[in-house]
Protein backbone atom coordinates (compact mmCIF):
# COMPACT_ATOMS: atom_id res chain seq x y z
CA UNK A 1 0.00 0.00 0.00
CA UNK A 2 1.59 3.27 -1.02
CA UNK A 3 -1.59 5.36 -0.77
CA UNK A 4 -2.21 5.93 -4.45
CA UNK A 5 -1.10 3.99 -7.52
CA UNK A 6 0.23 7.27 -8.97
CA UNK A 7 2.71 7.65 -6.14
CA UNK A 8 6.22 6.51 -7.00
CA UNK A 9 7.98 4.66 -4.18
CA UNK A 10 11.31 6.14 -3.14
CA UNK A 11 12.16 3.93 -0.14
CA UNK A 12 10.23 0.79 0.57
CA UNK A 13 9.57 -0.56 4.04
CA UNK A 14 12.25 -3.27 3.97
CA UNK A 15 14.96 -0.83 2.91
CA UNK A 16 13.86 1.58 5.64
CA UNK A 17 13.87 -1.19 8.25
CA UNK A 18 17.40 -2.27 7.30
CA UNK A 19 18.75 1.25 7.49
CA UNK A 20 17.00 2.00 10.79
CA UNK A 21 18.59 -1.15 12.24
CA UNK A 22 22.02 0.03 11.06
CA UNK A 23 21.49 3.45 12.61
CA UNK A 24 20.44 1.81 15.87
CA UNK A 25 23.60 -0.32 15.92
CA UNK A 26 25.83 2.69 15.29
CA UNK A 27 24.10 4.77 17.96
CA UNK A 28 24.34 1.88 20.41
CA UNK A 29 28.09 1.69 19.79
CA UNK A 30 28.64 5.45 20.00
CA UNK A 31 26.63 5.90 23.19
CA UNK A 32 27.84 2.75 24.91
CA UNK A 33 27.87 3.25 28.70
CA UNK A 34 25.36 6.12 28.53
CA UNK A 35 21.63 6.25 29.23
CA UNK A 36 20.62 8.69 26.49
CA UNK A 37 17.55 10.89 26.48
CA UNK A 38 15.87 10.61 23.08
CA UNK A 39 13.94 13.67 21.92
CA UNK A 40 11.92 12.87 18.78
CA UNK A 41 10.38 15.89 17.08
CA UNK A 42 6.66 15.34 16.66
CA UNK A 43 4.69 14.86 14.63
CA UNK A 44 6.89 13.76 11.72
CA UNK A 45 9.46 11.71 13.63
CA UNK A 46 7.00 9.57 15.55
CA UNK A 47 7.16 6.52 13.29
CA UNK A 48 10.93 6.67 12.75
CA UNK A 49 11.61 7.20 16.46
CA UNK A 50 9.34 4.33 17.49
CA UNK A 51 11.32 1.98 15.23
CA UNK A 52 14.75 3.45 15.97
CA UNK A 53 14.43 3.29 19.75
CA UNK A 54 13.82 -0.46 19.51
CA UNK A 55 17.06 -0.84 17.54
CA UNK A 56 19.11 0.89 20.26
CA UNK A 57 20.35 -1.66 22.76
CA UNK A 58 20.88 0.71 25.68
CA UNK A 59 18.82 1.83 28.63
CA UNK A 60 17.18 5.04 27.44
CA UNK A 61 14.41 7.52 28.05
CA UNK A 62 12.25 9.02 25.32
CA UNK A 63 10.50 12.36 25.65
CA UNK A 64 8.87 13.58 22.45
CA UNK A 65 8.94 17.30 21.62
CA UNK A 66 6.22 18.98 19.62
CA UNK A 67 7.61 21.44 17.11
CA UNK A 68 6.42 22.63 13.73
CA UNK A 69 7.37 25.15 11.09
CA UNK A 70 5.30 24.04 8.13
CA UNK A 71 1.71 24.08 9.44
CA UNK A 72 -0.48 22.98 6.53
CA UNK A 73 1.86 24.53 3.96
CA UNK A 74 4.38 22.58 1.89
CA UNK A 75 7.12 25.17 2.57
CA UNK A 76 8.73 26.13 5.88
CA UNK A 77 7.29 29.27 7.49
CA UNK A 78 10.82 30.17 8.63
CA UNK A 79 9.78 30.21 12.28
CA UNK A 80 9.86 27.20 14.58
CA UNK A 81 6.94 26.82 16.92
CA UNK A 82 8.23 24.82 19.93
CA UNK A 83 4.96 24.09 21.64
CA UNK A 84 6.05 23.24 25.18
CA UNK A 85 9.70 24.24 25.30
CA UNK A 86 12.54 21.86 26.12
CA UNK A 87 12.01 19.42 29.03
CA UNK A 88 13.77 20.52 32.23
CA UNK A 89 15.49 17.17 32.68
CA UNK A 90 17.79 17.51 29.64
CA UNK A 91 20.40 19.04 31.96
CA UNK A 92 23.41 16.75 32.31
CA UNK A 93 22.04 14.19 29.84
CA UNK A 94 23.34 12.77 26.56
CA UNK A 95 20.66 13.94 24.13
CA UNK A 96 19.71 12.36 20.82
CA UNK A 97 17.45 14.66 18.78
CA UNK A 98 15.51 12.62 16.23
CA UNK A 99 13.75 14.05 13.21
CA UNK A 100 12.29 12.62 10.04
CA UNK A 101 13.80 15.07 7.56
CA UNK A 102 16.44 17.75 7.28
CA UNK A 103 15.17 20.39 4.91
CA UNK A 104 16.03 24.02 5.74
CA UNK A 105 17.69 22.86 8.96
CA UNK A 106 15.72 25.32 11.08
CA UNK A 107 14.18 22.66 13.32
CA UNK A 108 17.38 20.89 14.33
CA UNK A 109 19.43 24.08 14.56
CA UNK A 110 16.87 25.68 16.91
CA UNK A 111 16.44 22.58 19.03
CA UNK A 112 20.16 21.84 19.24
CA UNK A 113 20.76 25.37 20.55
CA UNK A 114 17.84 25.13 23.02
CA UNK A 115 19.04 21.79 24.38
CA UNK A 116 22.64 23.04 24.75
CA UNK A 117 21.31 26.12 26.50
CA UNK A 118 19.34 23.89 28.90
CA UNK A 119 22.61 22.24 30.01
CA UNK A 120 22.76 18.95 28.11
CA UNK A 121 26.01 17.01 28.59
CA UNK A 122 26.12 16.19 24.87
CA UNK A 123 23.80 16.62 21.89
CA UNK A 124 23.65 14.36 18.85
CA UNK A 125 21.22 14.62 15.95
CA UNK A 126 19.69 11.86 13.87
CA UNK A 127 17.56 12.32 10.77
CA UNK A 128 16.08 9.67 8.56
CA UNK A 129 16.23 11.79 5.39
CA UNK A 130 18.38 14.62 4.11
CA UNK A 131 17.39 16.44 0.95
CA UNK A 132 19.99 16.95 -1.77
CA UNK A 133 19.80 20.72 -1.42
CA UNK A 134 20.51 20.37 2.32
CA UNK A 135 23.82 18.54 1.90
CA UNK A 136 25.65 21.46 3.53
CA UNK A 137 23.62 20.83 6.72
CA UNK A 138 25.08 18.31 9.12
CA UNK A 139 23.52 15.71 11.37
CA UNK A 140 25.43 13.06 13.31
CA UNK A 141 23.36 10.22 11.85
CA UNK A 142 21.63 10.33 8.46
CA UNK A 143 19.50 7.51 7.10
CA UNK A 144 19.18 8.41 3.43
CA UNK A 145 20.09 11.21 1.04
CA UNK A 146 17.05 11.94 -1.13
CA UNK A 147 16.27 14.12 -4.16
CA UNK A 148 14.69 17.56 -3.76
CA UNK A 149 11.13 16.38 -4.20
CA UNK A 150 8.20 16.29 -1.80
CA UNK A 151 7.92 12.95 -0.03
CA UNK A 152 5.36 11.50 2.36
CA UNK A 153 4.87 8.31 4.33
CA UNK A 154 6.55 6.68 7.35
CA UNK A 155 5.50 9.69 9.43
CA UNK A 156 5.98 12.40 6.80
CA UNK A 157 2.87 14.28 5.78
CA UNK A 158 1.29 16.66 3.35
CA UNK A 159 -1.19 18.81 5.28
CA UNK A 160 -1.55 16.02 7.83
CA UNK A 161 -2.24 13.29 5.28
CA UNK A 162 -0.25 10.15 4.38
CA UNK A 163 1.73 9.71 7.63
CA UNK A 164 0.50 6.12 7.86
CA UNK A 165 2.00 4.93 4.56
CA UNK A 166 4.57 2.19 5.21
CA UNK A 167 6.81 3.24 2.33
CA UNK A 168 8.22 6.70 1.60
CA UNK A 169 6.81 7.92 -1.70
CA UNK A 170 7.08 10.93 -3.99
CA UNK A 171 4.01 13.12 -4.22
CA UNK A 172 3.31 14.46 -7.72
CA UNK A 173 3.82 18.24 -7.93
CA UNK A 174 0.16 18.84 -8.78
CA UNK A 175 -0.91 17.11 -5.55
CA UNK A 176 1.57 19.20 -3.54
CA UNK A 177 0.12 22.32 -5.15
CA UNK A 178 -3.46 21.38 -4.24
CA UNK A 179 -2.53 20.51 -0.64
CA UNK A 180 -2.82 16.73 -0.98
CA UNK A 181 -6.41 16.50 0.19
CA UNK A 182 -7.62 12.90 0.23
CA UNK A 183 -11.23 12.67 -0.85
C1 LIG B 1 8.81 18.99 9.28
C2 LIG B 1 9.63 17.75 9.59
C3 LIG B 1 10.81 18.27 10.36
C4 LIG B 1 10.98 19.67 9.79
C5 LIG B 1 12.16 19.69 8.86
O1 LIG B 1 8.02 19.30 10.38
O2 LIG B 1 8.87 16.82 10.33
O3 LIG B 1 10.56 18.35 11.74
O4 LIG B 1 9.79 20.00 9.09
O5 LIG B 1 12.26 20.91 8.16
P1 LIG B 1 13.38 21.98 8.43
O6 LIG B 1 14.71 21.30 8.29
O7 LIG B 1 13.12 22.97 7.33
O8 LIG B 1 13.18 22.58 9.78
P2 LIG B 1 6.66 20.15 10.26
O9 LIG B 1 6.89 21.58 10.59
O10 LIG B 1 6.02 19.89 8.92
O11 LIG B 1 5.77 19.52 11.42
P3 LIG B 1 5.30 18.00 11.53
O12 LIG B 1 6.52 17.23 11.96
O13 LIG B 1 4.26 18.06 12.61
O14 LIG B 1 4.77 17.55 10.21
Amino acid sequence: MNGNPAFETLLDRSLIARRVAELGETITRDLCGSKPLLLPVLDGAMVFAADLMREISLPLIMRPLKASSYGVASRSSGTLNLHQGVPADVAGQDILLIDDILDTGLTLKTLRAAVHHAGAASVRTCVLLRKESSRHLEADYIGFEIPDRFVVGYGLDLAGNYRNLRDIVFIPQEDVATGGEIT
Side-chain angles (χ1 to χ4, degrees), residues 41-46 66-73 75-77 79-81 83 98-111 134 137 150 155-160 163:
V41 186
L42 299 183
D43 296 326
M46 78 170 91
K66 173 68 182 150
S68 56
S69 57
Y70 284 65
V72 295
R75 279 177 192 280
S76 173
S77 65
T79 307
L80 186 75
N81 185 3
H83 299 243
I98 302 172
D99 211 347
D100 51 349
I101 189 163
L102 191 52
D103 191 356
T104 67
L106 175 73
T107 303
L108 282 188
K109 183 178 167 203
T110 307
L111 290 176
S134 310
L137 301 172
F150 204 93
L156 291 110
D157 75 310
L158 175 58
R163 291 195 201 272

Side-chain angles (χ1 to χ4, degrees), residues 75-153:
R75 279 177 192 280
S76 173
S77 65
T79 307
L80 186 75
N81 185 3
L82 183 55
H83 299 243
Q84 288 175 329
V86 167
D89 58 356
V90 304
Q93 303 299 312
D94 292 320
I95 303 299
L96 182 65
L97 283 164
I98 302 172
D99 211 347
D100 51 349
I101 189 163
L102 191 52
D103 191 356
T104 67
L106 175 73
T107 303
L108 282 188
K109 183 178 167 203
T110 307
L111 290 176
R112 194 193 274 121
V115 167
H116 264 306
H117 185 73
S122 69
V123 186
R124 290 175 173 80
T125 53
C126 178
V127 292
L128 180 65
L129 309 175
R130 179 168 70 177
K131 285 199 169 173
E132 209 177 331
S133 56
S134 310
R135 266 183 311 199
H136 59 290
L137 301 172
E138 284 307 324
D140 297 288
Y141 307 101
I142 297 172
F144 300 96
E145 307 279 354
I146 65 164
D148 286 326
R149 286 173 60 189
F150 204 93
V151 291
V152 297

